[in-house]
Amino acid sequence: MDPLIDVFTWGDLGRWDELVEGLERRPCLAVLGHPVAHSRSPQMHNPALEAAGLPGSYVRIELRTEEFSEAMTVLPKLGFLGANVTIPHKGAAFAAVSSMSEVARRCGAVNTLAFTPEGIAGHNTDAPGLKQALQEAFGIDLADLRILILGAGGGAGQAAAVQCAMDGCRRLVLVNRTLAKAERLAADLGDLLPGAGRLLAITTEEGLLAREVAEADLIINASSVGMKESDPELVPAHLWNSHHRVYDMIYAPPQTDLLREAAAAGARTANGLGMLLWQGALAFEYWFKQAAPVEAMRRGLA
Ligand code: NAP
């Protein structure tokens, strides 16, 4: 068994003891998703376990939607301490937990599970992971900023919006192709950002976007636009300028057109690798109640 390469399935869990017998490091953590083969989490968490002197390993387990709820009963019995959850299970994980953090409740999604004697606890480390990544990349405090989120209607955009609102940012503009989703999110976050004009939902229509981009200090791309070469342009290049800080949650490719054009206009830019790292580091801290060996995790990702 190679935790860095192998992908296990629901069927494998039925003969788990046989599979892991004799291993020096018995799996104790997993990423659960469908598909899950692309996940880089084992590359981060296995070096972290080693660097922290902890036993066990971190593996990928591919689960179908109909298998997820039973897996919540089976995994703790097989010795798992916790798990990360990715597409399409973040909503099912939200429903499966017996307690959760405020940020997970606000996000309506759980990406980190801890199997405890009291039940399953849930957290969302995407939101605070983004905050740490922004702090590291730009040295900024979200509370000081006027922030615009592109793709606010998706899960990642919602996590970003929740974090910005919980930190009490100066102004928050939620941009989404499907306006109704951004409007719903704005309604949910209204209590965190009271005051006229402090929280706004708009579509990607160019005129509206141009005005709001000009007024923003930090622009976060939380949409999936930019992953493929054929993707449309989200923000016209002439709208960027040197006062912008631009964060793209995408890390493959490492530089999207959006980041390249923003950097060409003098903006400070960073890609989503930092968010991936910090959401993992915060998950480690949630499971083990100790500081994560962040540099070992960073090297693992690189
Ligand atoms: P999702 O739930 O599928 O949301 C996709 C978002 O992109 C929606 O807001 C969608 O708008 C928008 N979108 C898609 N195609 C578009 C187009 N052609 N024009 C305009 N908007 C478009 O996905 P997600 O889970 O939130 O993930 C979004 C991105 O964040 C992905 O690239 C993912 O890899 C990245 N991410 C990175 C990290 C990290 O650690 N770095 C963590 C999580 C996610 P509609 O609502 O109108 O469909």
Side-chain angles (χ1 to χ4, degrees):
M1 172 189 281
D2 185 341
L4 294 183
I5 296 170
D6 291 334
V7 177
F8 300 96
T9 62
W10 174 243
D12 292 328
L13 295 182
R15 53 187 188 105
W16 197 245
D17 285 334
E18 184 191 318
L19 276 174
V20 303
E21 195 189 340
L23 285 182
E24 196 183 321
R25 288 180 167 273
R26 186 183 166 105
C28 65
L29 295 165
V31 54
L32 314 175
H34 197 287
V36 80
H38 66 281
S39 171
R40 295 214 214 169
S41 292
Q43 267 68 15
M44 229 185 336
H45 283 290
N46 285 299
L49 290 166
E50 280 194 41
L54 293 165
S57 64
Y58 184 112
V59 294
R60 299 179 183 89
I61 304 179
E62 189 166 85
L63 292 177
R64 286 195 280 265
T65 305
E66 61 274 21
E67 296 161 349
F68 186 82
S69 127
E70 212 176 331
M72 292 299 97
T73 314
V74 168
L75 287 169
K77 290 184 184 151
L78 296 178
F80 282 84
L81 308 172
N84 287 127
V85 181
T86 186
I87 289 168
H89 301 311
K90 289 184 187 181
F94 182 83
V97 299
S98 50
S99 64
M100 73 178 83
S101 61
E102 170 67 3
V103 68
R105 188 187 68 73
R106 287 269 181 188
C107 289
V110 158
N111 79 335
T112 305
L113 299 168
F115 302 128
T116 75
E118 294 77 40
I120 306 176
H123 187 25
N124 188 311
T125 64
D126 282 336
L130 171 68
K131 173 180 169 162
Q132 290 282 113
L134 291 167
Q135 174 73 51
E136 185 175 65
F138 303 133
I140 49 177
D141 184 345
L142 295 178
D144 299 334
L145 301 172
R146 299 166 301 173
I147 302 170
L148 181 144
I149 300 175
L150 300 160
Q158 183 158 351
V162 165
Q163 190 64 53
C164 296
M166 286 180 78
D167 278 28
C169 66
R170 266 174 64 201
R171 187 154 189 267
L172 185 58
V173 179
L174 306 174
V175 184
N176 207 52
R177 178 179 59 179
T178 314
L179 180 61
K181 291 192 208 168
E183 285 179 336
R184 233 180 353 255
L185 181 57
D188 288 348
L189 298 178
D191 62 317
L192 293 173
L193 295 176
R198 198 165 163 209
L199 178 57
L200 196 67
I202 63 169
T203 61
T204 44
E205 192 264 302
E206 191 176 332
L208 287 173
L209 193 62
R211 198 180 60 217
E212 296 301 337
V213 166
E215 293 291 315
D217 308 303
L218 170 66
I219 290 110
I220 300 171
N221 179 29
S223 83
S224 45
V225 177
M227 295 178 87
K228 296 193 295 282
E229 263 187 45
S230 56
D231 278 345
E233 184 178 57
L234 263 187
V235 177
H238 68 270
L239 297 183
W240 297 121
N241 71 52
S242 59
H243 86 261
H244 286 136
R245 292 174 181 86
V246 185
Y247 192 84
D248 199 326
M249 287 194 191
I250 295 172
Y251 50 83
Q255 193 184 40
T256 57
D257 286 350
L258 180 116
L259 287 190
R260 192 173 38 73
E261 290 170 0
R268 289 181 65 188
T269 62
N271 73 16
L273 208 58
M275 179 177 172
L276 179 69
L277 169 72
W278 283 103
Q279 64 76 28
L282 295 172
F284 183 99
E285 291 176 6
Y286 186 67
W287 293 319
F288 297 110
K289 314 290 177 227
Q290 66 182 70
V294 177
E295 293 315 313
M297 299 176 88
R298 200 190 302 272
R299 280 194 300 277
L301 271 185

